[in-house]
Amino acid sequence: QFAQDGTLAVPAGGQITLEDLRGKIVLLYFWGTWCLPCKKASPFIQEVHEDYADKRVAVYALAFRSPDDDVRAYFEDHKYTYGSLLQADDVVRDYKVRAFPTYVLLGIHGQEIARFVGGKPEETFAEIRETIDQHLAELGG
């Protein structure tokens, strides 16, 4: 129930809540280890994570119908360092995600400000970056 200030497990152990992310623009990346278009998008997610590391932006992948060990192995194999939240099936339902990958941008108060579904990663991530930059500018950087 992440969408309602619930918690989700993180691979390293522990949990995170939506409340922990207040004050940041959050990119939620709904994906699965079984999803080929998701795997093609993962490097773009990593680039967003790296490019906005010093800004008020957090990036989290939410794994759907993907065993925890598979998610951990995928991140280790590809050296991805963006946030990963396990067992996100309930959150997928909360956000009414119907296709994968889906990207949801949350504003600093946790409200949804944009949603992108599937598509070509080059085009989709140009739009995602544009939306992030616009909201950062409104926040004064």
Side-chain angles (χ1 to χ4, degrees):
Q1 304 280 331
F2 194 62
Q4 284 78 39
D5 289 341
T7 62
L8 274 177
V10 293
Q15 296 183 325
I16 190 164
T17 68
L18 193 56
E19 193 62 36
D20 295 334
L21 302 173
R22 293 283 194 257
K24 293 185 177 189
I25 295 168
V26 181
L27 174 59
L28 300 178
Y29 163 48
F30 293 94
W31 77 294
T33 55
W34 43 267
C35 170
L36 187 57
C38 300
K39 290 181 175 184
K40 289 182 178 177
S42 294
F44 292 88
I45 291 285
Q46 180 66 29
E47 287 177 12
V48 168
H49 169 65
E50 291 173 5
D51 292 348
Y52 291 91
D54 60 345
K55 305 257 194 269
R56 292 169 61 181
V57 177
V59 178
Y60 285 95
L62 290 89
F64 177 70
R65 293 191 180 160
S66 301
D68 295 356
D69 289 344
D70 292 356
V71 173
R72 287 185 186 98
Y74 182 73
F75 269 70
E76 286 176 21
D77 290 349
H78 293 87
K79 298 184 175 29
Y80 292 139
T81 57
Y82 51 89
S84 175
L85 301 172
L86 305 171
Q87 302 165 9
D89 294 23
D90 287 345
V91 186
V92 167
R93 285 186 283 279
D94 286 347
Y95 278 89
K96 296 176 176 45
V97 172
R98 304 268 187 263
F100 296 87
T102 290
Y103 316 92
V104 175
L105 277 173
L106 303 179
I108 61 169
H109 302 294
Q111 78 283 16
E112 183 172 332
I113 55 176
R115 180 179 293 234
F116 307 87
V117 180
K120 298 179 176 78
E122 294 84 359
E123 296 170 17
T124 303
F125 280 88
E127 291 182 49
I128 289 171
R129 287 171 177 273
E130 187 177 309
T131 305
I132 290 172
D133 291 343
Q134 174 187 344
H135 284 274
L136 284 173
E138 291 171 8
L139 296 171

